[in-house]
């Protein structure tokens, strides 16, 4: 991946001397840090290009006294953010860092509220679009953690109800750093929902303003994030391949997933529910660019041309 923006990022994170940065992490395990937590086949660019810089970003806050911090990871479905989050949490455990990674998906409404909320959407998806999350609960969980340090958050199991999913319990933790990942995390409201309207069906055009209305409710959540990392696809259509692979892996592991027409409708929702320009221009602090194979092409604090 491109080295200029990468070096700029490390400098912003307080490491103008790259050799000192490298030695710092070699002393903490180097490439063996949570090595078994990477998905099989993950290339080393994820470790050196994203993993260690992300930990370096967290490290600036995790030992400071005072206010707790929330980090966000945004990326299209299947981009690798959930697997990356698992590695972050495991690396934090090995480093004895008090951090916790959760997903916006865990705040999906429970059945049957979720089913009621999704009724009438033109994609007939069971979840995923703005409006499928319990925003009040999310705000309550975050506020309680900010005030007390105690995190009690729901968990959502996508394999339940034959792949339609349902809430499956709660987690209790006391992290200093809370990391939340989500596919439209940080997404702003579109100023022109008619943009790219030529690809929308009549029902999708009619429903998109409703999605924007729901999306407005999330804007207060985004303001709580100290830092947002955006895993951005060079080609938006890559999410079709990524999401299909993700559901196939869920089927293999759990015996239930979105497939066939249900998966096709979900993919259509990703492409049309929120204007792609909005999803590709998340207001983030760091941008990680991926090609279709999930190889990193750039990482840095500033955007560069594809």
């Amino acid at each position: 991946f491109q080295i200029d923006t990468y070096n700029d990022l490390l400098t912003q994170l307080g490491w103008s001397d790259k050799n000192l940065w490298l030695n710092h992490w070699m002393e903490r395990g180097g490439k063996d840090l949570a090595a078994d937590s990477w998905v099989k086949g993950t290339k080393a660019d994820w470790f050196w290009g994203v993993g260690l810089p992300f930990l370096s970003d967290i490290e600036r806050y995790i030992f400071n006294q005072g206010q707790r911090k929330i980090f966000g990871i945004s990326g299209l479905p299947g981009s690798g953010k959930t697997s990356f989050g698992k590695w972050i949490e495991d690396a934090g455990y090995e480093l004895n860092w008090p951090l916790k990674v959760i997903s916006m998906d865990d705040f999906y409404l429970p059945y049957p509220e979720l089913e009621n909320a999704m009724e009438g959407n033109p994609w007939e998806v069971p979840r995923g679009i703005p409006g499928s999350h319990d925003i009040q609960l999310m705000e309550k969980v975050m506020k309680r953690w900010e005030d007390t340090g105690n995190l009690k958050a729901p968990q959502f199991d996508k394999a339940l109800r034959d792949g339609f999913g349902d809430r499956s319990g709660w987690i209790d933790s006391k992290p200093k750093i809370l990391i939340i990942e989500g596919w439209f995390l940080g997404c702003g409201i579109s100023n022109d929902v008619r943009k790219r309207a030529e690809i929308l069906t009549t029902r999708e055009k009619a429903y998109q303003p409703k999605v924007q209305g729901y999306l407005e409710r999330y804007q207060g959540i985004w303001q709580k994030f100290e830092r947002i990392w955006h895993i951005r696809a060079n080609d938006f259509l890559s999410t079709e391949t990524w999401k299909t692979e993700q559901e196939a892996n869920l089927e293999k592991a759990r015996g239930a997933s979105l497939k066939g027409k249900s998966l096709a409708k979900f993919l259509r929702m990703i492409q049309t529910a929120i204007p792609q320009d909005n999803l590709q221009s998340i207001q983030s602090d760091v941008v990680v660019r991926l090609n279709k194979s999930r190889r990193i092409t750039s990482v840095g604090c500033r955007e560069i041309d594809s």
Side-chain angles (χ1 to χ4, degrees), residues 198-243:
E198 69 279 1
I199 71 170
L200 303 180
T201 67
T202 300
R203 288 185 66 205
E204 288 168 346
K205 289 178 184 178
Y207 200 83
Q208 199 175 69
K210 188 173 183 178
V211 172
Q212 292 296 312
Y214 283 134
L215 189 56
E216 186 172 4
R217 302 176 187 178
Y218 294 76
Q219 302 308 304
I221 297 288
W222 309 155
Q223 298 303 313
K224 294 179 178 293
F225 288 85
E226 180 73 23
R227 304 271 289 173
I228 293 179
W229 285 55
H230 183 197
I231 301 175
R232 178 178 175 181
N234 290 336
D235 180 358
F236 189 93
L237 293 180
S238 295
T239 192
E240 291 186 12
T241 301
W242 297 343
K243 181 61 178 176

Side-chain angles (χ1 to χ4, degrees), residues 99-258:
L99 59 83
K100 184 64 181 176
V101 182
I102 61 176
S103 174
M104 279 185 60
D105 294 353
D106 289 320
F107 289 91
Y108 282 140
L109 292 160
Y111 176 81
E113 290 98 316
L114 180 60
E115 189 173 75
N116 292 335
M118 294 295 94
E119 185 177 359
N121 78 78
W123 309 279
E124 299 176 356
V125 293
R127 60 179 188 268
I129 56 177
S132 56
H133 301 90
D134 189 335
I135 295 297
Q136 289 185 332
L137 176 61
M138 195 172 184
E139 291 175 334
K140 182 179 179 180
V141 167
M142 295 170 77
K143 180 67 165 57
R144 182 172 183 267
W145 172 73
E146 290 171 339
D147 291 343
T148 69
N150 296 316
L151 177 70
K152 185 172 184 179
Q155 291 182 299
F156 191 91
D157 189 340
K158 297 177 181 178
L160 296 178
R161 296 196 301 125
D162 294 324
F164 286 81
D166 198 3
R167 196 168 287 177
S168 61
W170 296 78
I171 59 169
D172 287 284
S173 183
K174 293 185 177 182
K176 178 70 181 294
I177 299 292
L178 176 61
I179 302 157
I180 305 177
E181 54 96 352
W183 80 272
F184 62 84
L185 188 151
C187 185
I189 305 167
S190 178
N191 293 322
D192 186 3
V193 297
R194 298 168 298 176
K195 201 167 186 178
R196 297 179 63 87
E198 69 279 1
I199 71 170
L200 303 180
T201 67
T202 300
R203 288 185 66 205
E204 288 168 346
K205 289 178 184 178
Y207 200 83
Q208 199 175 69
K210 188 173 183 178
V211 172
Q212 292 296 312
Y214 283 134
L215 189 56
E216 186 172 4
R217 302 176 187 178
Y218 294 76
Q219 302 308 304
I221 297 288
W222 309 155
Q223 298 303 313
K224 294 179 178 293
F225 288 85
E226 180 73 23
R227 304 271 289 173
I228 293 179
W229 285 55
H230 183 197
I231 301 175
R232 178 178 175 181
N234 290 336
D235 180 358
F236 189 93
L237 293 180
S238 295
T239 192
E240 291 186 12
T241 301
W242 297 343
K243 181 61 178 176
T244 301
E245 291 175 352
Q246 185 184 58
E247 292 298 323
N249 290 334
L250 183 60
E251 179 71 25
K252 185 182 297 184
R254 301 292 307 280
S257 64
L258 296 176

